[in-house]
Amino acid sequence: MSACAIELNHVTLARGRRIVLADVTASIRPGEFVGVFGPNGAGKTTLLQAILGLVRPAAGEVRVFGRVPAHGNPQAGYLPQRRASLADLRLRGRDFVASALHGERWGVPFAGREAAREIDRVLTVVQASDLALRPLGELSGGEQQRLLLAQALLGAPQLLLLDEPLVGLDPHFQEAIVALVSEVQRDTGITVLFTAHELNPLLGAMDRVLYLGHGIAAIGTVDEVVTGEVLSRLYGTAIDVLRVGDTVVVVSREGSVESGARHHHA
């Protein structure tokens, strides 16, 4: 296995004619839990898509476990941003997870008893076995996210990419999802990239942070990256970082950029 799970070597990413990230170099080690943050339009989703092989770099090279990523890489599990409610789907939890075995995710296809065992395994991993027979419409947002996470873990990937899984969840369910992902990461050794609007819910789980903004990136520990100097450069405006107990508050001249678990914009 490569010494790096993900390597970005002078990578430039674009959406149409707009440069999202320019000449970014960074590496993530196998088994790390990395939170990915930044203001709106900073390129968090585009970066995940490049790691999945869905977006080709305009310049530079992305490598995943030593290889150029290709669409269909079974080493990667992906939980995309939710754009529609699952409540209207007439499926039980188990059937919903099973639907991802038939071409709706990347990875090795399963069939018959092997598929049943794999579904049981991922439901157990995400502590959702009790949701297997319940209709999606009866589940809370946090319970639905557990099933989406189960889909992403089908095939035992080495890399888990989570795009804004906390959006729309109340603080209790946010805390539960972060704790669950952290437990899965510790138990399996999987590498996690977790994009989020808010820094504070992830503080106890992350090994490092990757902050994006104004086409550039900074990676390191929270103490190394979440500073007034670094964030001012990334946001392109004067930023102050305050510590209030276990909470980080990021403030610009226009007001709070991040406060508690509710007011960070990414």
Side-chain angles (χ1 to χ4, degrees):
M1 181 183 295
S2 170
C4 292
I6 299 169
E7 298 171 86
L8 308 175
N9 185 22
H10 297 288
V11 169
T12 295
L13 300 176
R15 287 290 192 185
R17 295 182 179 181
R18 184 173 74 90
I19 298 297
V20 178
L21 291 172
D23 197 30
V24 171
T25 295
S27 62
I28 294 169
R29 297 180 290 271
E32 276 198 292
F33 188 130
V34 176
V36 184
F37 307 94
N40 283 326
K44 300 184 293 294
T45 296
T46 302
L47 175 61
L48 296 192
Q49 291 175 343
I51 292 168
L52 287 166
L54 300 176
V55 172
R56 291 180 177 272
E61 186 176 60
V62 178
R63 287 191 171 268
V64 178
F65 296 107
R67 298 182 178 181
V68 175
H71 186 185
N73 182 0
Q75 292 180 303
Y78 180 42
L79 196 162
Q81 290 186 30
R82 291 175 62 181
R83 292 182 173 84
S85 172
L86 302 180
D88 295 332
L89 296 178
R90 293 189 173 185
L91 290 174
R92 301 176 305 167
R94 183 183 185 83
D95 298 328
F96 176 67
V97 175
S99 71
L101 290 170
H102 304 293
E104 295 182 15
R105 72 173 296 279
W106 298 285
V108 178
F110 294 86
R113 292 181 181 178
E114 185 184 10
R117 287 194 296 269
E118 180 63 7
I119 293 166
D120 287 339
R121 184 189 71 82
V122 294
L123 286 172
T124 299
V125 167
V126 302
Q127 302 169 22
S129 297
D130 59 327
L131 306 179
L133 301 181
R134 292 177 59 190
L136 291 181
E138 295 180 2
L139 304 183
S140 69
E143 290 170 333
Q144 291 177 7
Q145 284 294 68
R146 285 179 183 271
L147 297 178
L148 288 163
L149 181 58
Q151 286 187 338
L153 291 170
L154 288 166
Q158 298 176 46
L159 173 64
L160 182 60
L161 306 176
L162 306 176
D163 199 358
E164 305 281 10
L166 304 184
V167 169
L169 301 182
D170 65 32
H172 168 75
F173 284 119
Q174 289 186 0
E175 182 179 340
I177 292 297
V178 172
L180 175 61
V181 173
S182 183
E183 183 176 338
V184 170
Q185 182 250 347
R186 290 195 307 270
D187 290 347
T188 66
I190 197 170
T191 306
V192 175
L193 262 68
F194 191 127
T195 76
H197 279 84
E198 300 141 8
L199 177 71
N200 287 296
L202 294 174
L203 280 177
M206 298 181 296
D207 296 305
R208 292 192 295 166
V209 298
L210 175 60
Y211 234 109
L212 310 178
H214 275 249
I216 56 178
I219 189 169
T221 66
V222 172
D223 288 341
E224 291 168 340
V225 173
V226 186
T227 69
E229 179 182 359
V230 173
L231 295 189
S232 294
R233 179 163 49 91
L234 293 171
Y235 276 90
T237 188
I239 296 287
D240 292 318
V241 176
L242 310 175
R243 304 287 180 122
V244 182
D246 294 329
T247 300
V248 175
V249 183
V250 179
V251 181
S252 74
R253 292 176 181 174
E254 299 177 354
S256 176
V257 175
E258 176 167 352
S259 179
R262 296 181 183 272
H263 303 298
H264 182 61
H265 303 291

